[in-house]
Amino acid sequence: MHVLPAGSVSTEPADLAACAVDQGPVVDHQLPIAVVWAQSAEDVQMVMRAAHAAGVPVVCRGAGTGVSGGAHATEGCLVLNLERMNRILEIHPEDEIARVEPGVINSDLNAAVAEYGLMYAPDPASYRVSTIGGNIATNAGGLRCAKYGVTRESVLALDVVLADGTLIHTGHRTFKGVAGYDLTGLFVGSEGTLGVVVGATVRLRYLPAALETVAAFFPDVAAAAAGVLAVGRARVQPAIMELLDGHTMAQLDKEQGSSLRSRGAALLLIQTDGYAAAVEAGIIREVLSGLGGDIKAADAAEAVRLVDLRRHSRGAEVDDDFRVGEDVAVPRSQLVNYIHQLQDIADRHGVGLKVVAHAGDGNLHPTFWVGPGDVAKVPALNAALDESIDVGLALGGTITGEHGVGQYKVRWLGREQSEEVLELQRRLKDVFDPQRLLNPGKALPVAPRVG
Amino acid sequence: MHVLPAGSVSTEPADLAACAVDQGPVVDHQLPIAVVWAQSAEDVQMVMRAAHAAGVPVVCRGAGTGVSGGAHATEGCLVLNLERMNRILEIHPEDEIARVEPGVINSDLNAAVAEYGLMYAPDPASYRVSTIGGNIATNAGGLRCAKYGVTRESVLALDVVLADGTLIHTGHRTFKGVAGYDLTGLFVGSEGTLGVVVGATVRLRYLPAALETVAAFFPDVAAAAAGVLAVGRARVQPAIMELLDGHTMAQLDKEQGSSLRSRGAALLLIQTDGYAAAVEAGIIREVLSGLGGDIKAADAAEAVRLVDLRRHSRGAEVDDDFRVGEDVAVPRSQLVNYIHQLQDIADRHGVGLKVVAHAGDGNLHPTFWVGPGDVAKVPALNAALDESIDVGLALGGTITGEHGVGQYKVRWLGREQSEEVLELQRRLKDVFDPQRLLNPGKALPVAPRVG
Ligand SMILES: Cc1cc2nc3c(=O)[nH]c(=O)nc-3n(C[C@H](O)[C@H](O)[C@H](O)COP(=O)(O)OP(=O)(O)OC[C@H]3O[C@@H](n4cnc5c(N)ncnc54)[C@H](O)[C@@H]3O)c2cc1C
Ligand SMILES: Cc1cc2nc3c(=O)[nH]c(=O)nc-3n(C[C@H](O)[C@H](O)[C@H](O)COP(=O)(O)OP(=O)(O)OC[C@H]3O[C@@H](n4cnc5c(N)ncnc54)[C@H](O)[C@@H]3O)c2cc1C
């Protein structure tokens, strides 16, 4: 019989606490009964068989950088931690694929394949810390997803341990393949509720021959958002198109020693790549100058620094403001409108607003905030947040562009999807996990809404 | 109560015969009991409700250009023909999306969005005749999928009528969205076995500013296939990378009056696009010349003609040879090896071989053939075909890169996927279609294999 390696299980209070929550808002704080670190697919199978036999819920955990509470512990659960399964099993430069264990850190994979002139395209801002398994379970987006697509577009095949411990392989090593239903795609983004990802075959892309970065400063966010549409109308596809508002710039200046805010009240940070990077950047500069943008052609070192700053624009906050944030995505034409409405919501509720956006994809991360200690304003914060979700939906948007539903957004899913669609998903879930042990209470509202 | 428009139903022998089969090999010829042409989602709902109540199987049909028998009638079935639901409902140039009914012809959509500088990327060689609904149901590939991805990568949202007549909406109008399980992706490629696609929201891409076409002739197919890998090693991503062998070239010359075969015994037809088209084509020319390719920089008119010829390289055969063909995809590094093995298989079985390939994706369409009337050789043809599938799988490939399993390839699916994976899919199918009325006997082997 398979035995877990020594040191695989802990019930130490510090370990339980460390694995109790991710970076998302905590709705219902619970400590797991134990944490198990798997080192192999066999370990995972063993854990799942035991959990299945005992009826114990299991919450998978990568790096715990999720921001929707997907990895939050639930009552009486075991946390199955995949971070030690961190081997890159294969890099095949001619097949342009890599096979990895789920605990591999995104940037480690990218560093390893860069030697071959290749990249793993999906690059969440958390790429230096988050795991490929977590990226897959959330269908993570990232900066260069504007051009290269989200995680799903780079995952060819998966090894998955099902709730009863069965190990299956889905998908194909080839770029294309349509044999059977797309189980691979179904597991991507399922937030650990359908199975445990224990291996992945991912597609690699060519590292671009050149990068060109354009930083365009605008007097206000609406003007910057209009710039996004204007670049689209010029039919140029940037690799990266990020928007930062004045509050975000000021905060970065404070934390990182930059001086962005003095240049404007909104920044469009655009990167083109490939052999046409310079030509495309030239067109973009012309378009944005025409809109009144203060354009800067960043030199290579500054470009890296700017993109790096953008990656720090979320999650690194060290002050103790109260804040709530989301990741609504809206159709691109609604970007300007939505930002206006967000500001209006913030004003009416008397709270601050800060926005960063993967603007090329219409995916916004607005944060409503109030000053340190201003606990009386928390209800206003939550009311603003709720309203921002409804407005995003009314504009044809979705409640979550890339962070997942997790635990925190379950209450909103029924505003976006019909009861028939929710019920269909519950029945799918029951096919994979009839005992409902995998990440219970996440991703889907459990019971039908009443009334 | 909703009533079907006049002229919606036919039991005329000619209509039944016309809708009995697609372009795939016929395993079990059946006439439907009737053909119904839907003109609206309500029509489809009504048909499905009636079929559900009466327990009558339903086979969806777009243009019937499928080559796996997906649209073949099955015993006692109704054919639900979607070709009259052919309206483009919306083109939104700023959101970069279109909403269409399922019967819209691929090239009609492309013509309509081209006015806005946009394109619908997936372009099966059948794009002038096949429907978007059929493309979605098969997850069709195409020439420029090498760069832009297959149909799944361009489908954002679907309207689907379920087996019991319920109309649901899946997905989102935004480029990104991770709310709930990826039902949209699950319907894509499900070959009419999970629901009827009655509407689709598709993502549009920018029409490239420039196209450059390279035609490289080689002395043999292996040399051309080596060229595919060499272009990859140069880390240049073509939009189109097609391979045609000598037999295909000769046949095109005969049918289309071209003179390809005189230039070589294999042709790599490569198109680069966008602002870097010329630079990238230059690199490709250098790489392929180095391998002994006889390179031609095609002028614009000739480029169109060459790509057009390629689109005719399948399905337009007018002679009466016996032939069997497939669409195995292999990992790119195995292209040369697989083509050598295919030739060896053909030689050993004493049959001819003809190959075209979406080579950039490792997706081959080998055809084994024997001369007109040579019926005695049919068993040898089938033996060669069967062997080619096993060899493709042994090299890490899949039985179908883009055409789907349909009726014809059901017998091979168990060679690629484990019984656990097949069983999981059967249980998913049962969630959507518990009575098993939607396209029975297609896409999945019905009963577990015995022994
Ligand atoms: C500073 C910062 C920046 C961020 N930027 C982005 C961004 O740009 N884009 C973006 O999409 N997200 C971003 N995120 C959110 C987060 O990093 C992503 O959701 C990431 O994919 C989570 O990976 P993880 O390894 O931390 O997973 P975890 O947080 O540990 O888990 C996330 C979910 O996946 C499940 N899970 C984890 N591993 C497995 C597995 N092997 N099998 C099955 N289920 C599993 C968990 O149960 C949970 O539901 C950011 C977060 C931070 C803190
Ligand atoms: C000359 C030629 C070239 C081709 N080139 C390519 C190519 O390059 N790439 C490629 O992928 N394929 C190619 N094909 C195959 C074929 O054109 C594709 O499979 C195409 O997607 C089928 O579309 P259709 O409208 O003809 O669908 P049909 O053949 O009518 O149906 C295909 C399948 O989809 C189902 N279906 C159709 N409409 C719906 C709907 N609305 N809802 C649910 N299910 C539905 C049917 O039941 C069937 O299972 C080619 C075929 C020919 C004859």
Side-chain angles (χ1 to χ4, degrees), chain A residues 92-96 116-118 138-142 145-147 150 152-153 155 162 166-191 193-194 203 205-207 229 231-238 274-276 279-280 283 327 329-334 358 360-363 395-405 413 416-418 420-421 424-432 434 442-444, chain B residues 92-96 116-118 138-142 145-147 150 152-153 155 162 166-191 193-194 203 205-207 229 231-238 274-276 279-280 283 327 329-334 358 360-363 395-405 413 416-418 420-421 424-432 434 442-444:
Chain A
H92 199 300
E94 297 225 305
D95 287 350
E96 298 166 12
Y116 302 95
L118 295 167
T138 57
N139 192 14
C145 293
K147 178 165 179 175
V150 294
R152 195 188 67 160
E153 264 93 75
V155 177
L162 300 177
T166 308
L167 173 66
I168 62 165
H169 181 76
T170 69
H172 37 81
R173 191 186 165 98
T174 52
F175 292 168
K176 282 163 68 180
V178 293
Y181 299 142
D182 185 8
L183 296 180
T184 307
L186 192 60
F187 283 115
V188 173
S190 67
E191 303 190 70
T193 65
L194 300 182
R203 177 172 182 170
R205 311 270 171 177
Y206 303 149
L207 263 186
L229 294 184
V231 170
R233 269 194 302 272
R235 305 291 180 237
V236 173
Q237 178 64 63
Y275 288 99
V279 179
E280 291 176 353
I283 297 170
D327 84 313
V330 295
R332 283 166 54 113
S333 65
Q334 299 303 324
H358 302 302
D361 289 324
N363 186 193
L395 297 180
T398 173
I399 62 170
T400 175
E402 60 176 21
H403 290 162
V405 170
L413 193 60
E416 177 168 343
Q417 300 185 342
S418 69
E420 284 88 353
V421 168
L424 201 49
Q425 294 174 81
R426 286 189 202 105
R427 286 160 60 203
L428 288 182
K429 159 84 175 167
D430 280 344
V431 165
F432 288 88
K442 314 293 178 62
L444 273 182
Chain B
H92 199 301
E94 297 225 307
D95 287 349
E96 299 167 9
Y116 303 94
L118 296 167
T138 56
N139 191 15
C145 293
K147 178 165 178 175
V150 294
R152 194 188 68 161
E153 265 93 75
V155 177
L162 300 177
T166 308
L167 174 66
I168 62 166
H169 181 77
T170 70
H172 36 80
R173 191 185 165 99
T174 51
F175 291 168
K176 281 162 68 180
V178 294
Y181 300 142
D182 185 8
L183 296 180
T184 306
L186 193 58
F187 283 115
V188 174
S190 67
E191 304 190 68
T193 65
L194 299 181
R203 177 172 183 170
R205 312 272 170 174
Y206 304 148
L207 262 186
L229 295 183
V231 170
R233 269 193 304 272
R235 304 294 181 232
V236 173
Q237 179 63 63
Y275 289 100
V279 179
E280 291 176 353
I283 297 169
D327 84 313
V330 295
R332 283 166 54 111
S333 64
Q334 298 302 324
H358 302 300
D361 290 324
N363 186 192
L395 297 180
T398 172
I399 62 169
T400 175
E402 60 177 19
H403 290 163
V405 170
L413 193 60
E416 176 167 345
Q417 300 186 341
S418 70
E420 284 87 353
V421 168
L424 202 50
Q425 295 175 80
R426 286 188 202 104
R427 285 159 61 203
L428 289 182
K429 159 84 175 165
D430 280 345
V431 166
F432 288 89
K442 314 292 178 64
L444 274 182

Side-chain angles (χ1 to χ4, degrees), chain A residues 176, chain B residues 22-23 59-67 69-72 80 82 102-103 123-127 129-143 190-193 195-198 310-312 314-316 327 358 363 365 401-404 406 439 442:
Chain A
K176 282 163 68 180
Chain B
D22 62 20
Q23 307 276 321
V59 177
C60 291
R61 187 180 182 89
T65 71
V67 287
H72 284 359
L80 179 55
L82 284 312
D123 61 340
S126 58
Y127 75 116
V129 283
S130 64
T131 66
I132 301 289
N135 294 169
I136 289 171
T138 56
N139 191 15
L143 273 57
S190 67
E191 304 190 68
T193 65
V196 185
V197 175
V198 296
R310 158 60 186 98
R311 292 194 203 272
H312 281 95
R314 199 200 149 78
D327 84 313
H358 302 300
N363 186 192
H365 298 312
E402 60 177 19
H403 290 163
N439 219 0
K442 314 292 178 64

Side-chain angles (χ1 to χ4, degrees), chain A residues 87-398:
Chain A
R87 289 177 306 162
I88 298 175
L89 302 173
E90 181 188 2
I91 296 172
H92 199 300
E94 297 225 305
D95 287 350
E96 298 166 12
I97 61 121
R99 285 192 309 116
V100 299
E101 290 186 335
V104 169
I105 302 296
N106 183 305
S107 61
D108 289 346
L109 175 59
N110 265 301
V113 302
E115 291 180 35
Y116 302 95
L118 295 167
M119 66 178 180
Y120 172 65
D123 60 340
S126 58
Y127 75 117
R128 285 211 198 82
V129 282
S130 64
T131 66
I132 301 289
N135 295 170
I136 289 171
T138 57
N139 192 14
L143 274 58
R144 57 192 177 204
C145 293
K147 178 165 179 175
Y148 296 98
V150 294
T151 298
R152 195 188 67 160
E153 264 93 75
S154 288
V155 177
L156 298 173
L158 291 175
D159 301 302
V160 178
V161 173
L162 300 177
D164 64 1
T166 308
L167 173 66
I168 62 165
H169 181 76
T170 69
H172 37 81
R173 191 186 165 98
T174 52
F175 292 168
K176 282 163 68 180
V178 293
Y181 299 142
D182 185 8
L183 296 180
T184 307
L186 192 60
F187 283 115
V188 173
S190 67
E191 303 190 70
T193 65
L194 300 182
V196 185
V197 175
V198 296
T201 304
V202 298
R203 177 172 182 170
L204 305 171
R205 311 270 171 177
Y206 303 149
L207 263 186
L211 289 179
E212 190 92 9
T213 306
V214 178
F217 294 86
F218 289 89
D220 56 61
V221 175
V228 174
L229 294 184
V231 170
R233 269 194 302 272
R235 305 291 180 237
V236 173
Q237 178 64 63
I240 292 181
M241 179 142 60
E242 299 287 315
L243 187 155
L244 287 73
D245 76 352
H247 290 292
T248 306
M249 290 153 75
Q251 192 180 344
L252 283 174
D253 289 344
K254 206 171 83 187
E255 289 163 11
Q256 309 282 333
S258 49
S259 58
L260 301 172
R261 184 65 184 82
S262 64
R263 305 274 314 267
L267 166 60
L268 259 192
L269 186 60
I270 299 181
Q271 204 162 65
T272 55
D273 74 2
Y275 288 99
V279 179
E280 291 176 353
I283 297 170
I284 290 170
R285 266 182 224 116
E286 211 178 290
V287 165
L288 296 181
S289 301
L291 286 178
D294 168 15
I295 308 291
K296 212 171 146 168
D299 63 36
E302 200 195 357
V304 170
R305 166 119 178 104
L306 278 170
V307 173
D308 224 58
L309 278 174
R310 158 59 187 101
R311 293 192 202 273
H312 280 95
S313 65
R314 197 200 152 78
E317 294 100 334
V318 286
D319 59 79
D320 55 0
D321 293 353
F322 289 104
R323 74 177 69 76
V324 290
E326 265 329 308
D327 84 313
V328 163
V330 295
R332 283 166 54 113
S333 65
Q334 299 303 324
L335 262 177
V336 182
N337 186 1
Y338 190 51
I339 288 174
H340 276 304
Q341 296 209 41
L342 286 172
Q343 191 56 60
D344 178 58
I345 292 169
D347 293 347
R348 277 190 288 103
H349 290 277
V351 299
L353 172 69
K354 188 179 92 146
V355 180
V356 287
H358 302 302
D361 289 324
N363 186 193
L364 299 102
H365 297 314
T367 304
F368 296 105
W369 55 273
V370 293
D374 198 353
V375 66
K377 279 274 182 64
V378 170
L381 274 183
N382 286 323
L385 183 65
D386 251 43
E387 208 179 315
S388 75
I389 298 292
D390 286 334
V391 170
L393 287 172
L395 297 180
T398 173

